[in-house]
Amino acid sequence: MDLNYTPEELAFADEVRQWVRANLPPETRERVLHHKRLGKEEQVEWQRRLHAHGWGAPRWPKEYGGPGWNSVQQHLFDEVLSEEGAPQALPFGLSMIGPVLMAFGSQKQKDYYLPRILRQDDWWCQGFSEPGSGSDLASLRMKAELDGDEWVLNGQKTWTTLGQYANMIFLLARTDPAAKKQQGISMLLADMSTPGITIRPIITIDGEHEVNEVFFDNVRVPKDHIVGAPGMGWSYAKFLLSHERTNIARIGRSKSELTRLKKIATEETVDGVPLIQTPGFREKIAAVEIELMALELTNLRMIAAERAGQAPGAEANMLKIKGSEIQQTLTELMMEAVGPYALPFNPEAREPGWHGEPIGPEYAAPLGPDYFNYRKVTIYGGSNEIQRNILAKAVLGL
């Protein structure tokens, strides 16, 4: 197993870096690196620039419009973009429903939706969780009943991330109430402008409107908007979630955040000594850096196995667990580094162009909201408790 990059791979990373520096708008880069809010337009524009260069879907095969990169190139691409302050790719189209449609969708669905995902013509959201059906997703109660040439949807979805921007949703609904709970579920696609769909915001603990609840009241969608076969939605959802859990590790982003933490710890002082030079805090930084290095090596081992033709095993679950915990630890250490300056709640300071007087250093304003927001990462995509149960069963045989 060779975990070292080849000269060709290092040259590829340099090519990506130079292109990003030449094409990423400076104001967008500054907003990302300083945790300012990004608008929908900026995210769409960046995706379209990547697509125009042929890099819009780094994990897609060439036949569907991707660059056809191997797993090492995909990893390096993600890492460079995180280092350079590029916006995170929206996962719902590129990493979730896109791969599902490639594997299980009809030819009509592939021909229509995949190019639109690449161009960011459609903004997708995910309709899986319901009140009372989160980690126990198979208990979902939303119904889809066939009426002639249409499915009639009734029910509720919750925690619908960025649903306020979305024009399309992929969702799970119960199409056979008499079947066992996993076998009676199907996956469907719906236009968010369809009559009967109502979106209500959920304001999270950090004060942001990031998630929503979505209600379906006799919503009619065409019969051919089902993905694959009826009753197979649970299998398709597991396929989708395996992609989501790997992405949740966000190794490149965590490496960028570690650099940010070190910079903050260099500027903050205790009795005139930079915090990064104090033994206690240096040990905390070293501990999370070691965890992050181990996570990256685990990811590289998975990449090396894929390069050798081996299918990945439980690594996706491991990456999700440790990756999410490291993200939370980084937010905690940044909060600790700035101390009381992280306490004031000043959401306006995250707006682009804000010129108010900061409370403490300017970089302190987003730290409290980030800390609260990142409490979610060990929950979504399958809570870490559930991931540990999966590992216990699949790896340890318990």
Side-chain angles (χ1 to χ4, degrees):
M1 180 180 297
D2 186 2
L3 301 180
N4 296 310
Y5 295 124
T6 66
E8 292 78 14
E9 289 164 349
L10 293 174
F12 168 79
D14 188 60
E15 176 191 354
V16 173
R17 186 174 292 106
Q18 296 305 318
W19 185 88
V20 172
R21 289 178 179 177
N23 290 274
L24 178 63
E27 60 274 15
T28 300
R29 180 179 188 274
E30 287 301 304
R31 290 173 187 176
V32 171
L33 292 178
H34 293 92
H35 290 217
K36 302 285 186 179
R37 290 191 185 95
L38 280 181
K40 176 181 178 180
E41 297 76 14
E42 291 171 294
Q43 292 174 294
V44 170
E45 172 61 23
W46 177 239
Q47 171 60 26
R48 288 177 175 170
R49 290 192 184 199
L50 288 171
H51 171 56
H53 194 64
W55 292 352
R59 287 174 169 76
W60 286 20
K62 282 188 175 181
E63 63 181 297
Y64 293 118
W69 290 338
N70 60 38
S71 53
V72 178
Q73 290 172 306
Q74 296 165 13
H75 172 77
L76 288 170
F77 181 79
D78 290 345
E79 187 168 277
V80 171
L81 262 63
S82 294
E83 290 173 356
E84 294 299 322
Q88 293 284 306
L90 294 170
F92 307 106
L94 290 171
S95 303
M96 295 185 184
I97 192 60
V100 170
L101 292 177
M102 291 178 207
F104 309 109
S106 67
Q107 192 60 48
K108 179 181 177 181
Q109 290 169 345
K110 295 176 186 178
D111 292 343
Y112 181 75
Y113 289 115
L114 295 180
R116 293 177 64 84
I117 291 171
L118 285 171
R119 297 190 303 264
Q120 196 65 56
D121 291 343
D122 291 325
W123 186 302
W124 288 85
C125 62
Q126 179 183 20
F128 279 17
S129 295
E130 299 180 5
S133 299
S135 292
D136 182 19
L137 185 58
S139 67
L140 65 87
R141 293 176 293 177
M142 182 168 174
K143 295 180 180 179
E145 299 173 309
L146 194 58
D147 181 20
D149 291 332
E150 295 178 317
W151 293 98
V152 182
L153 310 180
N154 282 283
Q156 178 186 355
K157 296 297 179 180
T158 194
W159 310 123
T160 310
T161 302
L162 301 179
Q164 72 270 29
Y165 297 146
N167 67 303
M168 293 295 299
I169 184 171
F170 57 91
L171 57 90
L172 296 178
R174 195 164 298 283
T175 52
D176 185 357
K180 292 182 180 180
K181 61 181 186 179
Q182 286 92 345
Q183 296 173 356
I185 296 171
S186 299
M187 183 178 289
L188 297 107
L189 314 175
D191 189 316
M192 291 290 281
S193 65
T194 307
I197 296 181
T198 303
I199 305 173
R200 296 179 184 171
I202 298 174
I203 305 304
T204 50
I205 195 172
D206 60 336
E208 295 290 325
H209 176 197
E210 183 181 9
V211 293
N212 306 267
E213 51 184 349
V214 184
F215 298 87
F216 297 80
D217 183 14
N218 291 322
V219 175
R220 291 181 171 270
V221 300
K223 182 179 179 179
D224 63 1
H225 277 39
I226 191 169
V227 177
M232 292 298 294
W234 185 252
S235 296
Y236 305 156
K238 290 194 295 183
F239 177 89
L240 181 151
L241 289 169
S242 69
H243 287 77
E244 182 185 16
R245 286 165 187 160
T246 302
N247 292 330
I248 290 172
R250 293 185 179 177
I251 295 169
R253 179 176 174 82
S254 288
K255 291 175 73 172
S256 177
E257 290 298 280
L258 177 64
T259 300
R260 183 169 178 245
L261 169 62
K262 290 179 178 179
K263 185 175 186 299
I264 291 173
T266 301
E267 297 188 17
E268 295 296 315
T269 61
V270 176
D271 296 329
V273 178
L275 190 60
I276 199 169
Q277 295 180 16
T278 62
F281 204 79
R282 285 184 67 180
E283 290 175 5
K284 293 178 180 180
I285 293 177
V288 72
E289 185 165 10
I290 290 169
E291 290 281 331
L292 182 54
M293 291 171 65
L295 181 71
E296 184 175 23
L297 285 172
T298 300
N299 189 51
L300 290 173
R301 281 197 294 269
M302 186 171 71
I303 290 172
E306 290 179 0
R307 187 160 51 183
Q310 302 173 25
E315 291 89 349
N317 306 83
M318 296 168 58
L319 289 172
K320 194 275 178 180
I321 292 170
K322 292 307 298 181
S324 59
E325 291 177 348
I326 288 169
Q327 291 169 60
Q328 289 183 342
T329 300
L330 288 166
T331 66
E332 292 163 7
L333 290 177
M334 289 185 204
M335 284 275 285
E336 183 178 343
V338 299
Y341 291 126
L343 297 179
F345 181 68
N346 186 14
E348 293 80 11
R350 304 188 74 177
E351 293 287 353
W354 180 75
H355 298 296
E357 184 176 351
I359 302 172
E362 187 174 356
Y363 53 72
L367 299 184
D370 284 347
Y371 167 82
F372 287 117
N373 185 274
Y374 272 73
R375 299 306 92 195
K376 71 188 180 188
V377 296
T378 51
I379 301 172
Y380 67 64
S383 71
N384 283 12
E385 291 81 2
I386 296 295
Q387 300 308 311
R388 288 186 170 90
N389 286 343
I390 293 171
L391 287 171
K393 182 177 180 180
V395 179
L396 303 178
L398 299 178

